[in-house]
Amino acid sequence: MVSGALVTTAVVAVAGVLLWSGSRTTVVADEPPKPAETPTQVASSFLTRAFSGPASAAVFTDAPEAASAALEATRTGMGTSAYQATVARSEPPAPDATATELTAAVTWTMPGSAVLKYEIKVPMTRAGGSWKVHWTPALVHPQLTEGASLTYRKALADGALLGRDGKPLVQGTIPDGLHKTITGVVGDVKGTDGWEVGITAGGAFTKLDGKAAEGGEKITVTIDPARQAAAQAAVDALPQGASIVAIEASTSEVLAVAQNKALSGTNPFVGRYAPGSTMKIVTAAAAMNAGLVQANTAVACPAKATIGTRTISNAGFGHDSVPFHTAFALSCNTTFGDLGSKLDPNALPDMAKRFGLGADWTVPGADTNTGKVPPATGDQRVENSFGQGNVVASPFGMALVAATVVSGKTPAPTLLRGKPSEPNDVAAGPPAAVLAPLRAMMREVVTSGTAKQLAAIPGLAGKTGTAEAGGGDEHGWFVGYQGNVAFAVVVEKAGSSASALNATAAFLR
């Protein structure tokens, strides 16, 4: 028994503990005591967690609260940048040492693979037998001070597509199709963003490293956001397909191009419609230029007339004799049919081109088609004189006509400043002698003629139009100007010009 006890004692000395289980004795070994963590191990644990879990890293320091706050600030400032730090090998400190210093190599990999590298010193201190990292902001970056943080940010390229107001022109501001053609011409004007990393302290930023942005191009689209919004709201209120084009008369810059969702298969720059009585602007100019009539010349305006083989009617009215300016304001088809029959076959097409209708430009940022006014004889020439026959026009083309009435010069439509349009088939501006009477007649249309419902709008002048579109449908037009803003409004299958006049009022007001 004594001998057995001695053996048992020897086992305990080696194994550590005996457990009794029935008739058997089981030996369970103790875990060997953990050696104290070295300064390198503690520093590595701190750096590994520094920006993945600042709070968990802070417990390895002698100032956890301050360390956690500072590390969190830099983690926020550096965003998605990846951090890596490696502690350099060093000789272990003496067994009785209470302080030592290590060196670590730091690498930040920022968005876009930009890299920032530097070294830091890692001061270590021992208290109560355990090593701790002595907290200092320089553990984040050698130049960091209390309350500061490391920050990464983009250096934004300053190129942009701008509206007339100088603010960025974002998609949705103008019709998607137009936005697409503009960006197809100018490409990516923004340029290439750069980056910079530095120290943020008290709102100030001190750059440490970075790459400058590659400046893009600033291109101004001539669209006026306020007028564009007004035009868009005006057409959106209509159930039929509708569009508005507005142009600054003095510069020929496009101010607004709007179309509603009901208008499909075309757009205001290229849509070709019979212009109806809005064509009388051109016919009046051609007739006055040919010496057939002047503003105060008395003309017949019968309710119905047969000219050639074509029987023409007015919209339920007739007069034995009225001044030509009144015939224009009342929109006498019979008067204009008679004048058209007396014009030279090329007189109407030539005058139309002098107002921009049938002319052709290459306009950077948009595909355009003003319309077509072909030479004609006989019945075709008669019908063309009041905007039927084989005459067609786009809202863009008729807006140019109105702009030319105001400016008196050949238009040069522009959508992108600094990128002028290229004339392909363009004529000189209209004769000066026809402009003053034409402006007065267009004003009379509003004050006492077919657009008198708009008489309360100051300075407004224009011409209404109703154009047969086949199948009993008629498109409604109003082409005019107010001050320096010229425009054309068309409403598909409206039956009359009333809807176009309503849209004009909404747009201008």
Side-chain angles (χ1 to χ4, degrees), residues 141-152:
H141 188 278
Q143 298 178 34
L144 211 66
T145 56
E146 197 66 43
S149 60
L150 207 59
T151 302
Y152 166 84

Side-chain angles (χ1 to χ4, degrees), residues 17-420:
V17 66
L18 288 175
L19 297 180
W20 179 263
S21 177
S23 60
R24 294 180 302 155
T25 299
T26 304
V27 178
V28 179
D30 284 336
E31 292 184 9
K34 292 182 179 179
E37 288 188 315
T38 66
T40 298
Q41 290 172 325
V42 174
S44 295
S45 296
F46 165 75
L47 294 171
T48 299
R49 297 167 175 79
F51 301 105
S52 59
S56 63
V59 300
F60 292 95
T61 73
D62 57 3
E65 188 173 335
S68 180
L71 295 174
E72 187 62 48
T74 286
R75 178 166 76 164
T76 300
M78 293 300 287
T80 59
S81 302
Y83 172 86
Q84 184 178 13
T86 304
V87 179
R89 290 186 178 185
S90 63
E91 293 295 324
D96 58 349
T98 58
T100 189
E101 185 177 75
L102 305 174
T103 300
V106 172
T107 300
W108 286 96
T109 304
M110 291 163 286
S113 301
V115 173
L116 176 69
K117 294 184 177 183
Y118 55 88
E119 283 192 350
I120 58 171
K121 300 297 182 182
V122 186
M124 305 295 298
T125 182
R126 182 160 58 181
S130 297
W131 286 101
K132 294 281 187 181
V133 174
H134 174 60
W135 171 250
T136 169
L139 286 163
V140 176
H141 188 278
Q143 298 178 34
L144 211 66
T145 56
E146 197 66 43
S149 60
L150 207 59
T151 302
Y152 166 84
R153 64 188 189 187
K154 281 186 176 181
L156 298 177
D158 62 356
L161 199 61
L162 305 175
R164 191 181 193 86
D165 57 359
K167 297 178 181 178
L169 189 71
V170 298
Q171 194 164 2
T173 305
I174 57 178
D176 288 343
L178 180 57
H179 189 275
K180 184 179 292 185
T181 57
I182 289 174
T183 53
V185 169
V186 302
D188 183 9
V189 297
K190 185 178 183 299
T192 304
D193 289 337
W195 61 273
E196 52 190 12
V197 63
I199 295 171
T200 299
F205 179 83
T206 302
K207 181 179 175 180
L208 295 172
D209 197 3
K211 179 182 179 182
E214 294 179 11
E217 187 177 4
K218 287 186 178 179
I219 295 180
T220 297
V221 179
T222 62
I223 296 294
D224 180 334
R227 292 192 185 278
Q228 176 67 31
Q232 192 63 53
V235 296
D236 284 345
L238 297 171
Q240 307 99 328
S243 63
I244 295 177
V245 176
I247 293 174
E248 185 176 60
S250 60
T251 62
S252 300
E253 290 187 347
V254 179
L255 298 175
V257 184
Q259 68 182 84
N260 61 11
K261 292 181 179 178
L263 184 70
S264 61
T266 187
N267 69 67
F269 276 124
V270 300
R272 299 170 73 180
Y273 306 88
S277 290
T278 63
M279 186 65 188
K280 292 171 183 174
I281 298 171
V282 175
T283 305
M288 288 189 289
N289 187 57
L292 298 177
V293 70
Q294 296 305 318
N296 292 316
T297 303
V299 293
C301 176
K304 183 180 291 188
T306 299
I307 304 171
T309 63
R310 179 79 160 87
T311 299
I312 301 167
S313 300
N314 293 326
F317 68 91
H319 300 280
D320 291 337
S321 178
V322 292
F324 178 59
H325 62 81
T326 301
F328 183 91
L330 298 178
S331 203
C332 286
N333 291 336
T334 53
T335 302
F336 278 83
D338 179 60
L339 289 172
S341 70
K342 298 172 182 177
L343 288 171
D344 181 85
N346 289 304
L348 201 59
D350 289 348
M351 187 58 71
K353 192 168 292 185
R354 296 180 76 169
F355 280 86
L357 183 61
D360 179 53
W361 292 268
T362 299
V363 183
D367 295 323
T368 63
N369 190 321
T370 62
K372 185 178 181 181
V373 183
T377 58
D379 290 347
Q380 196 75 72
R381 181 172 53 188
V382 171
E383 293 177 353
N384 286 356
S385 68
F386 52 88
Q388 294 293 167
N390 58 6
V391 174
V392 289
S394 68
F396 169 65
M398 293 310 297
L400 289 177
V401 170
T404 306
V405 172
V406 180
S407 70
K409 62 184 181 182
T410 303
T414 304
L415 184 62
L416 304 176
R417 284 185 180 166
K419 297 184 181 296

